[in-house]
Amino acid sequence: MLSSAGGALWLGEHHNSAADHNIQATLIRKLHEDRKRLFTKTAAPPMAIGLEQVQRQFQPVLDDFIAGKISEEEMLKGVDWEK
């Protein structure tokens, strides 16, 4: 059930599972459609979607990047982005 008050939805998946990714896409599409129906008299507030792409062990590197302590190049190297 959707609420005009907003909220968050967390979805887990197996990173190499096309079926899981299809389910995620379907749920996101459905949420977007439902929001349009919920806000028929006013514009729906923006909808943001965040996707996790980095393993938890690299969170300190991401924290340093967000804090401006390291460059983008250092962050990409620090999270093994090319692996």
Side-chain angles (χ1 to χ4, degrees):
M1 172 183 253
L2 285 180
S3 164
S4 60
L9 172 66
W10 301 90
L11 300 173
E13 45 84 49
H14 295 92
H15 291 302
N16 59 352
S17 171
D20 286 2
H21 297 156
N22 288 334
I23 291 169
Q24 286 176 318
T26 298
L27 287 170
I28 291 167
R29 212 174 288 112
K30 176 87 169 94
L31 284 170
H32 187 259
E33 291 168 2
D34 287 352
R35 284 169 46 83
K36 284 198 272 186
R37 280 194 293 277
L38 180 66
F39 292 94
T40 56
K41 296 181 181 175
T42 61
M47 181 174 156
I49 300 169
L51 303 172
E52 165 273 322
Q53 301 292 322
V54 178
Q55 296 176 36
R56 178 179 281 174
Q57 70 193 36
F58 298 124
Q59 186 62 49
V61 176
L62 298 177
D63 293 341
D64 285 348
F65 176 69
I66 294 298
K69 295 178 181 177
I70 62 173
S71 68
E72 180 178 357
E73 184 178 329
E74 292 169 308
M75 180 270 296
L76 292 172
K77 184 177 179 181
V79 300
D80 292 336
W81 190 255
E82 295 299 322
K83 286 189 176 181

